Amino acid sequence: MSLFNVDLPKTLRERAEHSITQLRAAVSEYKNVCYANSLGSESMVLTDLIWEAVPEIEIFSIDTGRLYPETYDLIERVQQRYGRALRIYYPEAAEVEQWVGENGINGFRDGLEQRRGCCAMRKVGPFRRAIAGRGAWVTGIRRGQSASRALAAPVEWDREYGLHKVSPLLDWSETEIWDYIRKKRLPYNSLHDSGFPSIGCAPCTRAVQPGDDARSGRWWWERADSRECGLHPRRKIPAVAVAALGGAQR
Ligand code: SF4
């Protein structure tokens, strides 16, 4: 079901077309482009845009080994819908064995250093392998997700990983994401229907109450300003910008 044979509202169609234009420009400019699919709601939109309109972008996901069963089910449903396979990257077995041996099976709960160590081993390591040799990577971040993400640009040089970072959904609202998913009947993680706006590893994600910050269910035992996995390092937010954005850095 392509973008062009579904009755999308005009504003949503324009959003989608603009995102496709950004994706095509990235391919034209950086050639070897990949999309790091986090399997959240934004990812379902981006997967649809890419596989329908810009299929030369390779889509990959990272299986940390600690995902929810519902997330594995989603991977299957996505692949069945499009008749294509996501490339899945895994952590190095030897690194997992060593880390668990030194820190314990749930050692990421013991402190920020341990949690970041687990994310580095299970997420960042496979991510570095996935982007090696690429000209740009695509992300599904939106400005509305946090004060830090509100300051992102559609195309940025990612100093941490040494390639360009393209964010074609930056200006989409959460409502628009879900309108697109429903209009196009896209698959999505069933946990979203149970109070999970943002879904990561099972032991580090929980449901939130209606109206709560969308990312408050991730690493909820930590201070709010540390809750990123390492793929999107937090920006330092000037106080004046925090005020303009309507609250504390999330
Ligand atoms: Fe480890 Fe939790 Fe990070 Fe997953 S989210 S890699 S389980 S610390």
PDB file of all heavy atoms in Angstrom, residues 49-71:
ATOM      1  N   LEU A  49       8.043   4.734   4.837  1.00  0.00           N
ATOM      2  CA  LEU A  49       8.530   5.726   3.867  1.00  0.00           C
ATOM      3  C   LEU A  49       9.736   5.184   3.092  1.00  0.00           C
ATOM      4  O   LEU A  49       9.839   5.350   1.871  1.00  0.00           O
ATOM      5  CB  LEU A  49       8.910   7.028   4.583  1.00  0.00           C
ATOM      6  CG  LEU A  49       7.780   7.776   5.304  1.00  0.00           C
ATOM      7  CD1 LEU A  49       8.332   9.022   5.998  1.00  0.00           C
ATOM      8  CD2 LEU A  49       6.668   8.157   4.340  1.00  0.00           C
ATOM      9  N   ILE A  50      10.637   4.534   3.803  1.00  0.00           N
ATOM     10  CA  ILE A  50      11.868   4.048   3.156  1.00  0.00           C
ATOM     11  C   ILE A  50      11.570   2.880   2.221  1.00  0.00           C
ATOM     12  O   ILE A  50      11.963   2.889   1.059  1.00  0.00           O
ATOM     13  CB  ILE A  50      12.915   3.665   4.226  1.00  0.00           C
ATOM     14  CG1 ILE A  50      13.446   4.926   4.911  1.00  0.00           C
ATOM     15  CG2 ILE A  50      14.064   2.862   3.607  1.00  0.00           C
ATOM     16  CD1 ILE A  50      14.331   4.684   6.118  1.00  0.00           C
ATOM     17  N   TRP A  51      10.866   1.880   2.718  1.00  0.00           N
ATOM     18  CA  TRP A  51      10.662   0.702   1.866  1.00  0.00           C
ATOM     19  C   TRP A  51       9.677   0.977   0.729  1.00  0.00           C
ATOM     20  O   TRP A  51       9.693   0.298  -0.286  1.00  0.00           O
ATOM     21  CB  TRP A  51      10.245  -0.497   2.712  1.00  0.00           C
ATOM     22  CG  TRP A  51      11.457  -1.246   3.232  1.00  0.00           C
ATOM     23  CD1 TRP A  51      12.751  -1.074   2.825  1.00  0.00           C
ATOM     24  CD2 TRP A  51      11.479  -2.260   4.228  1.00  0.00           C
ATOM     25  NE1 TRP A  51      13.579  -1.926   3.517  1.00  0.00           N
ATOM     26  CE2 TRP A  51      12.831  -2.662   4.380  1.00  0.00           C
ATOM     27  CE3 TRP A  51      10.505  -2.867   5.017  1.00  0.00           C
ATOM     28  CZ2 TRP A  51      13.216  -3.655   5.284  1.00  0.00           C
ATOM     29  CZ3 TRP A  51      10.888  -3.857   5.903  1.00  0.00           C
ATOM     30  CH2 TRP A  51      12.229  -4.246   6.048  1.00  0.00           C
ATOM     31  N   GLU A  52       8.826   1.996   0.884  1.00  0.00           N
ATOM     32  CA  GLU A  52       7.920   2.348  -0.212  1.00  0.00           C
ATOM     33  C   GLU A  52       8.570   3.297  -1.221  1.00  0.00           C
ATOM     34  O   GLU A  52       8.263   3.244  -2.408  1.00  0.00           O
ATOM     35  CB  GLU A  52       6.645   3.015   0.330  1.00  0.00           C
ATOM     36  CG  GLU A  52       5.752   2.102   1.150  1.00  0.00           C
ATOM     37  CD  GLU A  52       5.020   1.067   0.299  1.00  0.00           C
ATOM     38  OE1 GLU A  52       5.214   1.037  -0.922  1.00  0.00           O
ATOM     39  OE2 GLU A  52       4.262   0.275   0.887  1.00  0.00           O
ATOM     40  N   ALA A  53       9.442   4.199  -0.729  1.00  0.00           N
ATOM     41  CA  ALA A  53       9.895   5.280  -1.616  1.00  0.00           C
ATOM     42  C   ALA A  53      11.405   5.407  -1.781  1.00  0.00           C
ATOM     43  O   ALA A  53      11.864   5.924  -2.793  1.00  0.00           O
ATOM     44  CB  ALA A  53       9.333   6.617  -1.115  1.00  0.00           C
ATOM     45  N   VAL A  54      12.185   4.958  -0.799  1.00  0.00           N
ATOM     46  CA  VAL A  54      13.651   5.124  -0.884  1.00  0.00           C
ATOM     47  C   VAL A  54      14.331   3.814  -0.451  1.00  0.00           C
ATOM     48  O   VAL A  54      15.115   3.794   0.500  1.00  0.00           O
ATOM     49  CB  VAL A  54      14.133   6.294   0.014  1.00  0.00           C
ATOM     50  CG1 VAL A  54      15.489   6.831  -0.496  1.00  0.00           C
ATOM     51  CG2 VAL A  54      13.136   7.433   0.074  1.00  0.00           C
ATOM     52  N   PRO A  55      14.051   2.727  -1.162  1.00  0.00           N
ATOM     53  CA  PRO A  55      14.486   1.408  -0.664  1.00  0.00           C
ATOM     54  C   PRO A  55      15.995   1.188  -0.715  1.00  0.00           C
ATOM     55  O   PRO A  55      16.479   0.194  -0.170  1.00  0.00           O
ATOM     56  CB  PRO A  55      13.757   0.436  -1.610  1.00  0.00           C
ATOM     57  CG  PRO A  55      13.484   1.226  -2.847  1.00  0.00           C
ATOM     58  CD  PRO A  55      13.278   2.637  -2.393  1.00  0.00           C
ATOM     59  N   GLU A  56      16.723   2.110  -1.329  1.00  0.00           N
ATOM     60  CA  GLU A  56      18.184   1.945  -1.328  1.00  0.00           C
ATOM     61  C   GLU A  56      18.790   2.198   0.053  1.00  0.00           C
ATOM     62  O   GLU A  56      19.968   1.920   0.281  1.00  0.00           O
ATOM     63  CB  GLU A  56      18.840   2.843  -2.388  1.00  0.00           C
ATOM     64  CG  GLU A  56      18.477   4.296  -2.332  1.00  0.00           C
ATOM     65  CD  GLU A  56      17.242   4.641  -3.192  1.00  0.00           C
ATOM     66  OE1 GLU A  56      16.177   4.033  -2.966  1.00  0.00           O
ATOM     67  OE2 GLU A  56      17.351   5.544  -4.039  1.00  0.00           O
ATOM     68  N   ILE A  57      17.997   2.750   0.968  1.00  0.00           N
ATOM     69  CA  ILE A  57      18.476   2.908   2.349  1.00  0.00           C
ATOM     70  C   ILE A  57      18.324   1.570   3.067  1.00  0.00           C
ATOM     71  O   ILE A  57      17.222   1.024   3.143  1.00  0.00           O
ATOM     72  CB  ILE A  57      17.673   4.004   3.083  1.00  0.00           C
ATOM     73  CG1 ILE A  57      17.922   5.362   2.421  1.00  0.00           C
ATOM     74  CG2 ILE A  57      18.030   4.043   4.568  1.00  0.00           C
ATOM     75  CD1 ILE A  57      17.119   6.504   3.024  1.00  0.00           C
ATOM     76  N   GLU A  58      19.430   1.039   3.588  1.00  0.00           N
ATOM     77  CA  GLU A  58      19.333  -0.237   4.313  1.00  0.00           C
ATOM     78  C   GLU A  58      18.778  -0.001   5.718  1.00  0.00           C
ATOM     79  O   GLU A  58      19.207   0.922   6.409  1.00  0.00           O
ATOM     80  CB  GLU A  58      20.690  -0.931   4.428  1.00  0.00           C
ATOM     81  CG  GLU A  58      20.535  -2.291   5.109  1.00  0.00           C
ATOM     82  CD  GLU A  58      21.848  -3.044   5.305  1.00  0.00           C
ATOM     83  OE1 GLU A  58      22.704  -2.532   6.046  1.00  0.00           O
ATOM     84  OE2 GLU A  58      21.992  -4.114   4.728  1.00  0.00           O
ATOM     85  N   ILE A  59      17.822  -0.822   6.104  1.00  0.00           N
ATOM     86  CA  ILE A  59      17.236  -0.702   7.444  1.00  0.00           C
ATOM     87  C   ILE A  59      17.808  -1.812   8.323  1.00  0.00           C
ATOM     88  O   ILE A  59      17.802  -2.979   7.933  1.00  0.00           O
ATOM     89  CB  ILE A  59      15.703  -0.825   7.395  1.00  0.00           C
ATOM     90  CG1 ILE A  59      15.110   0.216   6.439  1.00  0.00           C
ATOM     91  CG2 ILE A  59      15.117  -0.657   8.789  1.00  0.00           C
ATOM     92  CD1 ILE A  59      13.596   0.181   6.334  1.00  0.00           C
ATOM     93  N   PHE A  60      18.279  -1.416   9.488  1.00  0.00           N
ATOM     94  CA  PHE A  60      18.747  -2.430  10.442  1.00  0.00           C
ATOM     95  C   PHE A  60      18.171  -2.155  11.821  1.00  0.00           C
ATOM     96  O   PHE A  60      17.753  -1.043  12.133  1.00  0.00           O
ATOM     97  CB  PHE A  60      20.286  -2.461  10.495  1.00  0.00           C
ATOM     98  CG  PHE A  60      20.917  -1.292  11.207  1.00  0.00           C
ATOM     99  CD1 PHE A  60      21.124  -1.298  12.576  1.00  0.00           C
ATOM    100  CD2 PHE A  60      21.316  -0.157  10.496  1.00  0.00           C
ATOM    101  CE1 PHE A  60      21.703  -0.221  13.235  1.00  0.00           C
ATOM    102  CE2 PHE A  60      21.901   0.923  11.138  1.00  0.00           C
ATOM    103  CZ  PHE A  60      22.098   0.893  12.517  1.00  0.00           C
ATOM    104  N   SER A  61      18.130  -3.204  12.629  1.00  0.00           N
ATOM    105  CA  SER A  61      17.744  -3.083  14.037  1.00  0.00           C
ATOM    106  C   SER A  61      18.792  -3.777  14.884  1.00  0.00           C
ATOM    107  O   SER A  61      19.555  -4.606  14.381  1.00  0.00           O
ATOM    108  CB  SER A  61      16.373  -3.720  14.295  1.00  0.00           C
ATOM    109  OG  SER A  61      15.351  -2.939  13.754  1.00  0.00           O
ATOM    110  N   ILE A  62      18.807  -3.439  16.146  1.00  0.00           N
ATOM    111  CA  ILE A  62      19.739  -4.071  17.076  1.00  0.00           C
ATOM    112  C   ILE A  62      18.946  -4.922  18.056  1.00  0.00           C
ATOM    113  O   ILE A  62      18.036  -4.417  18.726  1.00  0.00           O
ATOM    114  CB  ILE A  62      20.555  -3.000  17.831  1.00  0.00           C
ATOM    115  CG1 ILE A  62      21.436  -2.231  16.835  1.00  0.00           C
ATOM    116  CG2 ILE A  62      21.399  -3.644  18.934  1.00  0.00           C
ATOM    117  CD1 ILE A  62      22.084  -0.995  17.404  1.00  0.00           C
ATOM    118  N   ASP A  63      19.290  -6.196  18.106  1.00  0.00           N
ATOM    119  CA  ASP A  63      18.690  -7.077  19.099  1.00  0.00           C
ATOM    120  C   ASP A  63      19.654  -7.173  20.262  1.00  0.00           C
ATOM    121  O   ASP A  63      20.675  -7.860  20.190  1.00  0.00           O
ATOM    122  CB  ASP A  63      18.424  -8.459  18.489  1.00  0.00           C
ATOM    123  CG  ASP A  63      17.814  -9.413  19.519  1.00  0.00           C
ATOM    124  OD1 ASP A  63      17.632  -9.003  20.680  1.00  0.00           O
ATOM    125  OD2 ASP A  63      17.531 -10.568  19.137  1.00  0.00           O
ATOM    126  N   THR A  64      19.322  -6.467  21.336  1.00  0.00           N
ATOM    127  CA  THR A  64      20.205  -6.444  22.506  1.00  0.00           C
ATOM    128  C   THR A  64      20.191  -7.763  23.267  1.00  0.00           C
ATOM    129  O   THR A  64      21.003  -7.980  24.157  1.00  0.00           O
ATOM    130  CB  THR A  64      19.757  -5.338  23.487  1.00  0.00           C
ATOM    131  OG1 THR A  64      18.429  -5.662  23.933  1.00  0.00           O
ATOM    132  CG2 THR A  64      19.765  -3.972  22.829  1.00  0.00           C
ATOM    133  N   GLY A  65      19.225  -8.607  22.963  1.00  0.00           N
ATOM    134  CA  GLY A  65      19.053  -9.851  23.719  1.00  0.00           C
ATOM    135  C   GLY A  65      18.120  -9.689  24.902  1.00  0.00           C
ATOM    136  O   GLY A  65      17.819 -10.661  25.591  1.00  0.00           O
ATOM    137  N   ARG A  66      17.668  -8.444  25.158  1.00  0.00           N
ATOM    138  CA  ARG A  66      16.803  -8.197  26.303  1.00  0.00           C
ATOM    139  C   ARG A  66      15.488  -7.523  25.884  1.00  0.00           C
ATOM    140  O   ARG A  66      14.875  -6.805  26.665  1.00  0.00           O
ATOM    141  CB  ARG A  66      17.533  -7.307  27.343  1.00  0.00           C
ATOM    142  CG  ARG A  66      18.831  -7.863  27.890  1.00  0.00           C
ATOM    143  CD  ARG A  66      18.647  -9.162  28.656  1.00  0.00           C
ATOM    144  NE  ARG A  66      17.770  -9.037  29.795  1.00  0.00           N
ATOM    145  CZ  ARG A  66      18.184  -8.964  31.071  1.00  0.00           C
ATOM    146  NH1 ARG A  66      19.461  -9.027  31.349  1.00  0.00           N
ATOM    147  NH2 ARG A  66      17.316  -8.869  32.066  1.00  0.00           N
ATOM    148  N   LEU A  67      15.075  -7.741  24.640  1.00  0.00           N
ATOM    149  CA  LEU A  67      13.857  -7.081  24.152  1.00  0.00           C
ATOM    150  C   LEU A  67      12.607  -7.810  24.641  1.00  0.00           C
ATOM    151  O   LEU A  67      12.653  -8.980  25.008  1.00  0.00           O
ATOM    152  CB  LEU A  67      13.869  -7.043  22.616  1.00  0.00           C
ATOM    153  CG  LEU A  67      15.075  -6.351  21.956  1.00  0.00           C
ATOM    154  CD1 LEU A  67      14.957  -6.416  20.439  1.00  0.00           C
ATOM    155  CD2 LEU A  67      15.194  -4.896  22.424  1.00  0.00           C
ATOM    156  N   TYR A  68      11.489  -7.119  24.583  1.00  0.00           N
ATOM    157  CA  TYR A  68      10.201  -7.733  24.923  1.00  0.00           C
ATOM    158  C   TYR A  68       9.810  -8.746  23.848  1.00  0.00           C
ATOM    159  O   TYR A  68      10.094  -8.538  22.648  1.00  0.00           O
ATOM    160  CB  TYR A  68       9.108  -6.667  24.969  1.00  0.00           C
ATOM    161  CG  TYR A  68       9.036  -5.872  26.239  1.00  0.00           C
ATOM    162  CD1 TYR A  68       9.567  -4.587  26.310  1.00  0.00           C
ATOM    163  CD2 TYR A  68       8.400  -6.389  27.373  1.00  0.00           C
ATOM    164  CE1 TYR A  68       9.486  -3.843  27.474  1.00  0.00           C
ATOM    165  CE2 TYR A  68       8.313  -5.642  28.540  1.00  0.00           C
ATOM    166  CZ  TYR A  68       8.855  -4.379  28.585  1.00  0.00           C
ATOM    167  OH  TYR A  68       8.772  -3.642  29.735  1.00  0.00           O
ATOM    168  N   PRO A  69       9.080  -9.818  24.239  1.00  0.00           N
ATOM    169  CA  PRO A  69       8.564 -10.751  23.221  1.00  0.00           C
ATOM    170  C   PRO A  69       7.719 -10.025  22.173  1.00  0.00           C
ATOM    171  O   PRO A  69       7.751 -10.372  20.993  1.00  0.00           O
ATOM    172  CB  PRO A  69       7.696 -11.720  24.037  1.00  0.00           C
ATOM    173  CG  PRO A  69       8.223 -11.635  25.423  1.00  0.00           C
ATOM    174  CD  PRO A  69       8.745 -10.234  25.603  1.00  0.00           C
ATOM    175  N   GLU A  70       6.989  -8.996  22.597  1.00  0.00           N
ATOM    176  CA  GLU A  70       6.147  -8.241  21.653  1.00  0.00           C
ATOM    177  C   GLU A  70       6.998  -7.566  20.570  1.00  0.00           C
ATOM    178  O   GLU A  70       6.531  -7.333  19.458  1.00  0.00           O
ATOM    179  CB  GLU A  70       5.329  -7.182  22.398  1.00  0.00           C
ATOM    180  CG  GLU A  70       4.220  -7.733  23.277  1.00  0.00           C
ATOM    181  CD  GLU A  70       4.682  -8.126  24.676  1.00  0.00           C
ATOM    182  OE1 GLU A  70       5.919  -8.238  24.903  1.00  0.00           O
ATOM    183  OE2 GLU A  70       3.813  -8.312  25.556  1.00  0.00           O
ATOM    184  N   THR A  71       8.221  -7.230  20.911  1.00  0.00           N
ATOM    185  CA  THR A  71       9.095  -6.569  19.931  1.00  0.00           C
ATOM    186  C   THR A  71       9.573  -7.568  18.876  1.00  0.00           C
ATOM    187  O   THR A  71       9.643  -7.246  17.694  1.00  0.00           O
ATOM    188  CB  THR A  71      10.284  -5.902  20.655  1.00  0.00           C
ATOM    189  OG1 THR A  71       9.759  -5.006  21.651  1.00  0.00           O
ATOM    190  CG2 THR A  71      11.160  -5.129  19.689  1.00  0.00           C
TER     191      THR A  71
END
